Amino acid sequence: MHDGQIMTRSITERAAFAELYDRHERSVYRYAARRLGPSQADDTTSETFVVAFARRADFVGHDARPWLLGIATTLMHKFARQEAQAWRGMLAADLARVDSDQFEAVDDRLDAGTTAQQMGATLARLPAGDRDALLLHTFGDLDYEGISKALSIPIGTVRSRIHRARRKLRAAIDPAYRPEKEAHHGRDLAPAPSAE
């Protein structure tokens, strides 16, 4: 039985919602713990499912995980200060997941602690929409379509936000980084029209 069916059943059989909780509690908790630290993760996870239960009649689809992570993301905005502190205290290994290619590239030149501090500070300064998209991808393990559903934005906007956030992180930790040398969202650009 997919999540949408469980959600529909839970409207008349409230206890059915427990099955949805059992399926997704760990994912929501892990995402919250990576963003806020363990101290706020329990409360955020619980509140996510309270909100989801209250809004269960509004759910449309088969997989509730993006929807639940979207609710959790919205709830996390009230913990902005704690979230920024959590990033500064994250292990370098956690932050390396945000942009592993770039982290490895600068690892020889900067110690991991310094790099983690720079990335944490840069994450804290990102616009909330850019940060949410990047961290749903990185810590929530959602693909672009899942992020689109979680944040109720078009996939093109998801791509732009993640690209912009990664570009700012790279610039913050690597002075030699030049954004103009970067690939354009993984797409080939059409050749420039020839001048005739």
Side-chain angles (χ1 to χ4, degrees):
M1 183 177 294
H2 65 69
D3 293 347
Q5 293 168 320
I6 294 170
M7 205 77 80
T8 300
R9 203 174 94 226
S10 74
I11 293 169
T12 55
E13 299 173 40
R14 297 163 64 108
F17 191 82
E19 190 175 339
L20 194 80
Y21 178 87
D22 291 342
R23 275 187 192 179
H24 298 292
E25 180 272 337
R26 184 171 289 191
S27 292
V28 173
Y29 176 83
R30 195 169 39 244
Y31 172 63
R34 286 173 174 161
R35 285 194 65 164
L36 299 173
S39 63
Q40 295 294 338
D42 284 325
D43 289 343
T44 301
T45 302
S46 297
E47 197 171 346
T48 296
F49 283 95
V50 168
V51 171
F53 182 78
R55 293 177 40 200
R56 68 194 184 282
D58 299 335
F59 178 76
V60 176
H62 295 287
D63 182 8
R65 194 168 69 94
W67 183 68
L68 291 166
L69 293 179
I71 292 170
T73 298
T74 301
L75 293 172
M76 286 179 200
H77 291 167
K78 68 182 178 184
F79 296 115
R81 181 175 294 148
Q82 291 96 320
E83 188 175 25
Q85 289 171 344
W87 292 326
R88 288 194 261 290
M90 278 182 185
L91 296 173
D94 287 333
L95 284 171
R97 294 189 67 210
V98 175
D99 194 347
S100 59
D101 294 340
Q102 189 61 25
F103 192 89
E104 289 169 12
V106 299
D107 198 33
D108 294 337
R109 287 174 280 146
L110 298 171
D111 69 74
T114 301
T115 303
Q117 284 181 329
Q118 289 172 326
M119 288 181 76
T122 302
L123 276 171
R125 288 191 303 267
L126 288 175
D130 293 359
R131 182 173 54 244
D132 291 341
L134 179 66
L135 296 180
L136 279 165
H137 183 60
T138 304
F139 294 158
D141 298 320
L142 291 181
D143 60 13
Y144 286 5
E145 184 179 350
I147 297 166
S148 172
K149 290 177 184 175
L151 300 178
S152 300
I153 58 175
I155 288 180
T157 303
V158 172
R159 287 183 194 283
S160 296
R161 288 182 179 183
I162 290 175
H163 177 75
R164 188 169 44 241
R166 284 182 170 158
R167 193 176 66 230
K168 288 179 181 178
L169 285 170
R170 289 174 185 160
I173 63 172
D174 185 3
Y177 170 69
R178 295 288 178 265
E180 62 275 5
K181 292 183 180 179
E182 195 170 280
H184 299 275
H185 304 285
R187 298 185 197 130
D188 292 331
L189 293 179
S194 58
E196 293 186 29

